[in-house]
Amino acid sequence: MPRFSPSVFRTIPAAIAISLASTCVLDAPEAHAQSSGLSSSSTAPWFAPLSSALGETLSSASSSSSSKGSSELSSTTLKTNQPLPDEPGKLVARERVGSSRNERILYTSTNERGQIVPVSGAIYPAKSRGGNSRKGTVVLAPGTRGMGDQCAPSAGSSMLVGVDGSSVNVNYEAPVAQRLADEGYQVVVTDYIGLGTPGVHTYLNRIDQGHAVIDAARAASEPDEKVFFYGYSQGGGAVAAAGELQPEYAPDLHLVGVFAGAPPANPETMLKQGNPATLEPAMAMVIASYAYSYPEFREAVGAHTTAVANRYLTAVAASCVAETAGSSASIEDLAPDAPSLDELALSDDRILRTLRLNRLGTVPVKAPILIAQSPQDNVVPYDQGKQLADDYRSLGSPVTFLSIPLSDASSRAGLGHVAPAITQSGEVIRWMNERFND
């Protein structure tokens, strides 16, 4: 896999770079990390063959990201000192956001280890419809924001923009949430496990992300209320996972449908299909996440990475995407004995097992599911969404696949990933409305 130039993303205007946070552009290691103010640590190896060293370092990075000095726009996800309920899907706390009707919430979920954990999030109440009750509840699973607590969608005094030290967090999906609320739906946005709450954000972890979505619905919806899962990019993978897990994990939930846009469905094949300019930095977040969750993955990767990688990946685990957009790290810098990420994965069964464990499409989704993907997607390869639809269809799932070709101008502008989320939102909402009316 060839090295790519940091200049690839420096040509993108800053406002666009921030709004395209879901492209997962991460920063270069070591030297640039210092100049950009990343919360890196050089006191302990981030990856060590002994798993305890990594766990301690990750915990330290997570604590650091949530204890920074505050400002008017600083990270303000909801916290509580009260004991957590001993079951998932319970609303623990809620508070109004400024003068709006929107609320921050804290609820319980179950992580892959079977532990009850707190998850932060937000509620956008349904717009009043002349005395009529709301149409139902939509759980919105966000796209990639980063891994530091300050990157959570519900962070920031207004849940729109958060500034915490050198970190800038833009809640670019707030307009989507508000549009759905204006349609008459209560909208619940999950921050995911470990994003705004203790621990490391378990990025692209199938179980953790799926449970976070399901439990957001259980915490905020009424008994037997109709529920819909809506997500794009990272969120598309999260809601697809939730659709797979719901029949067994939450059979009482009245799930009427799922929209999974541009889902990163198969980490293993992403290594072969992905664009190097976005794949390698995005995979740094995956490595940070899986190393936290899977000891054997941590040990396997620790055998290949360098001291530069240790500092870089520690910074990634405590940083937002927009904060680090501007340059990128190469696999040659992080693991010089591995010429490409896919060869690194194929060389060690422990890595391969973890990637396959988090693949989507091996079990059916019982609720109707709409998967959308652009052939010009420059972040999540088209075959990720197309193959997932084919896999679900072979398992008997009621799946609809929407291929979204883009104009040459959009492709040249590098908007292949983000544009469909905007241009097709009306069609997706129409499809969603039909599911609520079925």
Side-chain angles (χ1 to χ4, degrees):
M1 184 173 291
R3 180 187 299 269
F4 52 90
S5 169
S7 64
V8 169
F9 290 98
R10 290 189 177 131
T11 58
I12 302 177
I16 296 178
I18 291 174
S19 69
L20 300 184
S22 60
T23 58
C24 305
V25 184
L26 302 177
D27 213 351
E30 196 168 22
H32 197 85
Q34 294 174 357
S35 66
S36 64
L38 286 176
S39 304
S40 62
S41 170
S42 59
T43 60
W46 198 86
F47 280 116
L50 298 178
S51 60
S52 60
L54 175 56
E56 292 172 2
T57 307
L58 280 173
S59 297
S60 174
S62 177
S63 298
S64 172
S65 74
S66 61
S67 61
K68 294 179 182 178
S70 62
S71 66
E72 182 180 355
L73 298 176
S74 68
S75 177
T76 51
T77 55
L78 190 56
K79 306 291 193 298
T80 182
N81 294 322
Q82 301 298 317
L84 295 178
D86 59 1
E87 58 182 308
K90 296 299 180 183
L91 192 60
V92 177
R94 63 196 305 168
E95 68 176 12
R96 289 280 290 270
V97 178
S99 60
S100 73
R101 296 173 59 230
N102 303 332
E103 295 179 292
R104 288 187 186 86
I105 62 170
L106 193 72
Y107 65 95
T108 55
S109 188
T110 311
N111 65 18
E112 190 173 12
R113 302 170 187 173
Q115 301 165 324
I116 299 295
V117 294
V119 184
S120 56
I123 290 178
Y124 295 75
K127 183 178 180 180
S128 175
R129 301 190 300 140
N132 295 330
S133 62
R134 66 195 189 208
K135 295 179 181 179
T137 290
V138 177
V139 179
L140 176 61
T144 300
R145 304 303 175 87
M147 297 190 71
D149 285 348
Q150 72 277 14
C151 316
S154 73
S157 59
S158 63
M159 298 197 303
L160 291 174
V161 178
V163 179
D164 197 311
S166 62
S167 288
V168 177
N169 173 31
V170 178
N171 189 1
Y172 55 86
E173 281 161 327
V176 178
Q178 194 58 59
R179 178 175 181 180
L180 293 170
D182 290 345
E183 289 276 334
Y185 299 103
Q186 173 186 243
V187 181
V188 188
V189 182
T190 179
D191 288 344
Y192 300 121
I193 291 174
L195 191 59
T197 48
V200 171
H201 172 38
T202 47
Y203 183 71
L204 298 196
N205 179 303
R206 173 180 174 269
I207 299 295
D208 280 14
Q209 293 190 161
H211 283 181
V213 169
I214 294 168
D215 287 323
R218 294 203 288 193
S221 62
E222 299 293 335
D224 203 40
E225 181 179 7
K226 292 182 178 180
V227 171
F228 188 94
F229 297 156
Y230 188 114
Y232 194 88
S233 193
Q234 179 188 359
V239 296
E244 293 180 1
L245 298 169
Q246 176 267 328
E248 182 176 345
Y249 183 68
D252 55 321
L253 199 65
H254 190 174
L255 181 62
V256 299
V258 179
F259 165 61
N266 188 332
E268 180 185 353
T269 58
M270 277 279 290
L271 296 178
K272 299 179 178 66
Q273 300 168 352
N275 177 355
T278 53
L279 174 65
E280 288 183 344
M283 286 306 295
M285 297 179 67
V286 174
I287 292 170
S289 167
Y290 291 176
Y292 177 74
S293 298
Y294 306 105
E296 73 165 9
F297 180 92
R298 180 162 64 238
E299 294 170 0
V301 174
H304 298 280
T305 51
T306 64
V308 169
N310 297 343
R311 290 187 285 274
Y312 169 56
L313 294 169
T314 300
V316 166
S319 302
C320 297
V321 171
E323 173 189 2
T324 55
S327 61
S328 307
S330 169
I331 185 63
E332 291 96 329
D333 295 322
L334 302 181
D337 63 335
S340 68
L341 282 169
D342 58 311
E343 290 184 25
L344 175 60
L346 291 172
S347 70
D348 197 309
D349 287 341
R350 295 170 295 178
I351 297 176
L352 205 55
R353 277 195 297 269
T354 301
L355 299 178
R356 290 175 177 174
L357 185 65
N358 287 283
R359 176 189 170 188
L360 300 171
T362 62
V363 296
V365 174
K366 291 188 177 180
I369 181 169
L370 171 65
I371 299 174
Q373 189 94 33
S374 170
Q376 288 86 25
D377 196 314
N378 59 320
V379 177
V380 178
Y382 179 74
D383 284 346
Q384 290 285 300
K386 180 64 168 63
Q387 185 61 54
L388 182 62
D390 291 343
D391 290 341
Y392 282 150
R393 191 172 293 110
S394 69
L395 292 168
S397 299
V399 60
T400 300
F401 181 71
L402 177 63
S403 181
I404 308 170
L406 299 176
S407 66
D408 291 340
S410 294
S411 296
R412 286 195 298 270
L415 301 177
H417 182 63
V418 71
I422 301 169
T423 62
Q424 299 300 312
S425 59
E427 184 170 349
V428 171
I429 290 174
R430 284 192 294 272
W431 188 87
M432 181 185 73
N433 288 335
E434 292 173 359
R435 304 289 76 74
F436 275 97
N437 294 329
D438 285 346

